[in-house]
Amino acid sequence: AQSVTQLGSHVSVSEGALVLLRCNYSSSVPPYLFWYVQYPNQGLQLLLKYTSAATLVKGINGFEAEFKKSETSFHLTKPSAHMSDAAEYFCAVSDQAGTALIFGKGTTLSVSS
Amino acid sequence: DGGITQSPKYLFRKEGQNVTLSCEQNLNHDAMYWYRQDPGQGLRLIYYSQIVNDFQKGDIAEGYSVSREKKESFPLTVTSAQKNPTAFYLCASSIERVNTGELFFGEGSRLTVL
């Protein structure tokens, strides 16, 4: 069965610092991978998705992620954190039938001034 | 504007009562989903539907029921059989199969059992 593991339930950075949120996946077939962001008491919004076109995927708000098959990873990065980036981030993988997304447990990003 | 509307945003329920959460979309999407979110647990799939009058159980369907009588509507009923119903419930939709696009989410409904 496919799954994702997000390393670190909470990440804290200073404003202007690099953001790195880690995600490893398990899949027996080429996966489709996603990163979503959730602000308090709201739904999720898509940041970016990997669908086997390019290994480096650029998303909204300056975020990007790199698909590394050899490491089964899809880490999310942003060169310079803003206060507005504080939120919960979820990594997700499509299931084998492609009918639903399987989500990780989430990483809460805190940004301090 | 197109989107997904969930109601109510907040709901309180006494133990033993059934409650129904509404989810309506005007995106003309075929597939709709219900997820449950608990702190530190991520999102877990309750039910999904890829076409009108058809739906499938997800990972945690016990104690829940759904219907899909119209393309734009996918209500979720939390029954008294659900042992721990207090949670944040998220409805989502996608154009077709999820791996060709993205899930669009509603704002969520927070259910509290008193």
Side-chain angles (χ1 to χ4, degrees):
Chain A
Q2 289 162 299
S3 65
V4 290
T5 301
Q6 292 185 241
L7 303 174
S9 59
H10 198 172
V11 171
S12 297
V13 300
S14 299
E15 196 170 21
L18 171 71
V19 175
L20 171 60
L21 304 182
R22 301 177 187 272
C23 174
N24 288 91
Y25 69 91
S26 172
S27 176
S28 58
V29 297
Y32 292 92
L33 294 160
F34 305 78
W35 275 100
Y36 282 83
V37 61
Q38 183 183 35
Y39 298 98
N41 292 312
Q42 293 187 22
L44 277 67
Q45 178 185 8
L46 181 70
L47 277 177
L48 50 82
K49 62 182 179 182
Y50 167 77
T51 56
S52 76
T55 57
L56 183 62
V57 182
K58 294 188 181 300
I60 62 171
N61 301 338
F63 284 93
E64 62 182 36
E66 186 172 7
F67 173 73
K68 291 187 176 181
K69 184 177 180 180
S70 60
E71 299 177 8
T72 61
S73 69
F74 190 58
H75 302 331
L76 182 71
T77 60
K78 182 174 181 178
S80 176
H82 292 180
M83 297 293 287
S84 60
D85 294 327
E88 190 160 19
Y89 292 80
F90 293 94
C91 182
V93 63
S94 61
D95 68 6
Q96 289 186 327
T99 53
L101 289 188
I102 299 166
F103 286 84
K105 294 188 176 183
T107 297
T108 299
L109 176 65
S110 300
V111 182
S112 58
S113 57
Chain B
D1 284 355
I4 298 178
T5 301
Q6 290 187 240
S7 63
K9 192 170 179 66
Y10 299 96
L11 184 62
F12 298 89
R13 179 194 111 174
K14 293 181 180 179
E15 282 193 34
Q17 290 182 334
N18 292 356
V19 294
T20 297
L21 307 180
S22 171
C23 178
E24 302 279 332
Q25 55 102 356
N26 60 3
L27 299 168
N28 199 33
H29 285 175
D30 285 321
M32 297 187 74
Y33 308 81
W34 275 104
Y35 284 91
R36 170 179 171 144
Q37 184 178 14
D38 297 281
Q41 295 297 313
L43 278 71
R44 292 180 290 171
L45 183 65
I46 304 173
Y47 269 98
Y48 65 97
S49 168
Q50 292 184 294
I51 194 170
V52 174
N53 292 323
D54 185 56
F55 48 82
Q56 305 296 327
K57 292 182 178 180
D59 299 321
I60 57 166
E62 184 175 352
Y64 300 97
S65 65
V66 294
S67 63
R68 187 86 187 275
E69 298 177 0
K70 299 185 296 183
K71 186 176 184 178
E72 60 269 23
S73 179
F74 191 43
L76 173 74
T77 297
V78 184
T79 75
S80 57
Q82 169 50 234
K83 300 301 181 188
N84 184 20
T86 294
F88 190 52
Y89 291 88
L90 288 160
C91 180
S93 71
S94 64
I95 296 174
E96 300 179 7
R97 293 162 62 93
V98 67
N99 60 9
T100 63
E102 66 178 281
L103 289 184
F104 292 81
F105 282 86
E107 295 285 294
S109 292
R110 187 169 297 280
L111 173 63
T112 302
V113 174
L114 304 173

